[in-house]
Amino acid sequence: MGWTRPGRSAVLGLTAAAMGIERSEEDAHRDLQTTLHYAVRIDSPGVPLIDYHTAQTPRQRRGQSFRTRKDELSADILNTVLSSREWRADTYFTVALWARQGCLVDLDGMARAMRHPQFALYVGRKSAPLGLPLNPAIVEADTFLHALDGRVPSELESSILRRIQSSDSRLRVVASDLDAPGIPENFRRERRRDAVSSRSRWQFHDRDEAVFSWNRGGS
C-alpha cells in the first residue's frame, strides 16, 4: 500500500533531478544524503489510486539467478505478467531541507534549481508528473517545525488546499530524521527502506524516522 508521505529518498531524488544530477553521479547523491536533514509535513495525504501495467520477467529455471534487471531482460525467454502499483492522488506535502551541523549547503542554489529544474520532475514513474511546480522558500527559524509553519503557500496552492485537505487545518502529522534537532518528546519511531545506498543501482537500506502530530503555530 502506498505511504501517506514521501520518503527521504524520493525528496532527495527530486532535488537531484532539479539540480541536473544524473543517477550515475554517486558522489553527488551521497553529498545530498549526508549533508541534509529532512522533514515533511502531511497537509493532505490524498486518496489511493491503483495503476495496472504489464512487465516482462524471465522464465524460471532451476539454479538460474539474475543479478540485475538488465540480466533479466536479456534472457532468451520472457513471460509477461500483470502487476499493480498504488499511488496517491490529491496529496500535498510541505518539506523542509536544511544543512546538518558542520555541513556547507548551497540552499539558494537548490531553491533556484527547484524553480527551474534541469530534468522533468515526476513521482515514481515518468507518467506521474507533479501536479504543481515546486515552490521553494528560504526560511529562517529556530527549529524546522517553525520553518514549516513559516512557509507561506502561494494563492494557487491555498485554493487547492482548501478543496483537498481535511477539516482540521492546524493539526498535522510530521515525519523527520530521527537525529534532527527540535523533535518533540512524544514521537513514535517508524522504519522505512528509503535511505539511498546506490542511486544508479537503485539500492536502498533501512532508516528510522520520528513521526508525531504538530499543531501548526503551536507546540
Side-chain angles (χ1 to χ4, degrees), residues 43-45 90 92 158 160-170 172 216:
D43 296 305
S44 173
D90 292 340
Y92 187 97
S158 297
I160 292 175
L161 274 172
R162 284 192 292 268
R163 296 198 300 269
I164 66 175
Q165 69 183 180
S166 63
S167 57
D168 186 348
S169 61
R170 293 178 61 84
R172 289 286 176 264
R216 292 189 61 186

Side-chain angles (χ1 to χ4, degrees), residues 53-59 69 72-75 77-83:
H53 63 100
T54 59
Q56 289 184 306
T57 60
R59 179 180 177 181
R69 179 60 175 160
E72 290 182 344
L73 294 177
S74 64
I77 300 178
L78 294 175
N79 298 320
T80 300
V81 297
L82 178 67
S83 66

Side-chain angles (χ1 to χ4, degrees), residues 8-163:
R8 190 179 198 274
S9 60
V11 171
L12 294 184
L14 281 176
T15 303
M19 298 171 66
I21 299 174
E22 298 186 0
R23 289 180 181 173
S24 59
E25 299 180 64
E26 296 281 17
D27 290 342
H29 286 287
R30 191 174 299 109
D31 286 343
L32 292 178
Q33 174 84 4
T34 58
T35 61
L36 290 171
H37 271 304
Y38 150 89
V40 58
R41 186 183 69 208
I42 305 174
D43 296 305
S44 173
V47 293
L49 176 67
I50 298 178
D51 174 29
Y52 295 96
H53 63 100
T54 59
Q56 289 184 306
T57 60
R59 179 180 177 181
Q60 297 298 316
R61 294 176 178 173
R62 185 185 300 274
Q64 185 179 35
S65 61
F66 302 92
R67 298 184 60 185
T68 66
R69 179 60 175 160
K70 182 179 180 181
D71 290 342
E72 290 182 344
L73 294 177
S74 64
D76 54 348
I77 300 178
L78 294 175
N79 298 320
T80 300
V81 297
L82 178 67
S83 66
S84 63
R85 299 291 186 273
E86 186 173 286
W87 312 92
R88 286 190 169 266
D90 292 340
T91 59
Y92 187 97
F93 309 102
T94 303
V95 176
L97 295 174
W98 70 104
R100 291 179 175 272
Q101 185 175 7
C103 296
L104 297 177
V105 178
D106 182 12
L107 295 178
D108 289 318
M110 289 173 55
R112 288 193 299 271
M114 290 178 183
R115 295 188 191 99
H116 305 284
Q118 296 296 307
F119 297 143
L121 304 182
Y122 56 89
V123 183
R125 299 177 66 190
K126 292 182 179 180
S127 60
L130 299 181
L132 286 171
L134 298 180
N135 185 19
I138 305 296
V139 179
E140 292 187 13
D142 293 334
T143 69
F144 71 91
L145 290 170
H146 294 103
L148 290 171
D149 285 348
R151 195 270 182 182
V152 179
S154 67
E155 183 176 345
L156 175 60
E157 292 170 331
S158 297
S159 66
I160 292 175
L161 274 172
R162 284 192 292 268
R163 296 198 300 269

